[in-house]
Amino acid sequence: MTHTTPPPVACEVVHGAPRDLLVVTIDNPPVNALGHAVREALLQAAERLDADPTLGAMVLRSTGPVFVGGADIREFSGPRRDPLLNVVCDRVNACAKPVVAAMQGAALGGGFEIALAAHYRVAAPAVEVAFPEVLLGLLPGAGGTQRAPRLCGAALALDLMLTGRRLSAADAVAAGLLDVLANDPIAHAVLWAQQLASAGGPVRRARDGQALRDTAAAHAAIEMARERVQRDLAGRFAPARIVECVAAAVDLPYEDGAAVEARAFLECLASPEREELVQRFFAERAARKAARSTASE
């Protein structure tokens, strides 16, 4: 008897009036990492949403204790496979119909970028969000350096990206990164998506956020971040590129800032620092696994 592995992303049509919902569920244990198959399925779901006139909105959800745990770090050692995450996020964001992210668990790295690419975000109170890429010698490379500052301002965006620290859902709502807390974020997101579909939209994109209107405050935050990098993170490769990308979000149109981010991400990806930190990550994970195995004997 042969056993087939279920696909890591499932799509379900929830019927409603005047139009149906497309509910997209990521089920890629243990942390719903954004591997190639997941990225490909998310891209297809976004294209299906726009192409099908019977669909009025999409809910993006996942199973398990983590919403999306970020990129599949195992792919870093090989050639990059299309569709890349930035392409997927841009396609989700470009949907002409509302996309609501339902976050029942942590959204980390690329997972947070997927949520920011959606038009609306609902999170459980215990959810945390973070940009931990700097801990691996990288930066948010799927629009995160451009979308986050436009929602929460340069100072908080820089702090999150330079430290990798986690932000509570309540603080993320207060900062404008998330929209609403709900004990059952999936049910809330479905109801909200139904209401948006009935009203014919609208979509609301992070790229149009107004948190950088105070350019003086944004530039002050960038200068403080540059000083912080020189003082506390001298010799590190990724932090200076992160500051460069957020500065681009302040000074340039979204498309130009995204191009700066894309170049900086490739520079980080090719840096010796990234390779060393990723190797350390795998070594530490193997050590923890061995310790757990020894403890259970």
Side-chain angles (χ1 to χ4, degrees):
M1 183 177 179
T2 58
H3 296 277
T4 58
T5 302
V9 177
C11 294
E12 175 190 5
V13 174
V14 175
H15 297 291
R19 290 192 288 178
D20 301 335
L21 298 182
L22 183 64
V23 178
V24 179
T25 303
I26 301 171
D27 184 11
N28 188 32
V31 296
N32 293 321
L34 292 163
H36 174 258
V38 175
R39 299 194 305 274
E40 196 169 50
L42 292 177
L43 184 65
Q44 291 171 357
E47 292 174 345
R48 177 180 176 183
L49 174 66
D50 274 346
D52 189 339
T54 69
L55 296 173
M58 181 167 79
V59 172
L60 180 58
R61 54 158 296 191
S62 63
T63 61
V66 177
F67 173 63
V68 176
D72 188 339
I73 196 171
R74 294 171 298 183
E75 294 185 2
F76 288 176
S77 59
R80 304 175 80 198
R81 298 180 66 190
D82 293 329
L84 301 179
L85 184 58
N86 63 320
V87 172
V88 175
C89 286
D90 286 347
R91 183 63 187 88
V92 169
N93 194 243
C95 284
K97 303 168 188 176
V99 178
V100 184
M103 306 159 64
Q104 85 290 351
L108 308 175
F112 191 18
E113 291 185 283
I114 280 284
L116 293 176
H119 306 133
Y120 302 90
R121 290 164 285 280
V122 183
V127 161
E128 294 179 320
V129 299
F131 289 119
E133 288 89 346
V134 70
L135 304 178
L136 294 175
L138 293 169
L139 55 81
T145 68
Q146 302 304 298
R147 293 189 177 99
R150 287 171 164 83
L151 291 175
C152 71
L156 178 58
L158 283 163
D159 180 59
L160 293 174
M161 294 176 199
L162 290 174
T163 64
R165 72 178 179 92
R166 296 193 179 198
L167 188 70
S168 72
D171 287 342
V173 169
L177 291 166
L178 303 179
D179 293 307
V180 65
L181 302 182
N183 290 326
D184 188 341
I186 295 172
H188 190 107
V190 168
L191 179 60
W192 197 0
Q194 288 172 333
Q195 293 170 344
L196 289 165
S198 296
V203 299
R204 187 193 57 193
R205 298 186 173 94
R207 61 183 293 163
D208 299 322
Q210 298 297 307
L212 297 177
R213 284 179 299 177
D214 187 345
T215 55
H219 285 126
I222 289 166
E223 287 308 310
M224 290 180 63
R226 287 193 175 114
E227 293 172 4
R228 178 182 186 178
V229 168
Q230 292 173 358
R231 182 183 65 247
D232 302 331
L233 300 170
R236 294 281 306 278
F237 189 83
R241 275 70 189 174
I242 289 171
V243 177
E244 174 190 355
C245 291
V246 175
V250 175
D251 295 329
L252 301 176
Y254 181 87
E255 288 78 6
D256 294 339
V260 171
E261 179 191 89
R263 289 194 298 270
F265 182 81
L266 290 176
E267 291 172 358
C268 290
L269 199 62
S271 72
E273 175 184 270
R274 193 278 309 174
E275 184 175 355
E276 177 185 343
L277 290 173
V278 169
Q279 289 177 350
R280 185 186 304 174
F281 171 85
F282 280 120
E284 291 174 350
R285 188 166 72 174
R288 289 194 298 270
K289 184 176 181 180
R292 288 195 298 268
S293 177
T294 301
S296 64
E297 292 177 354

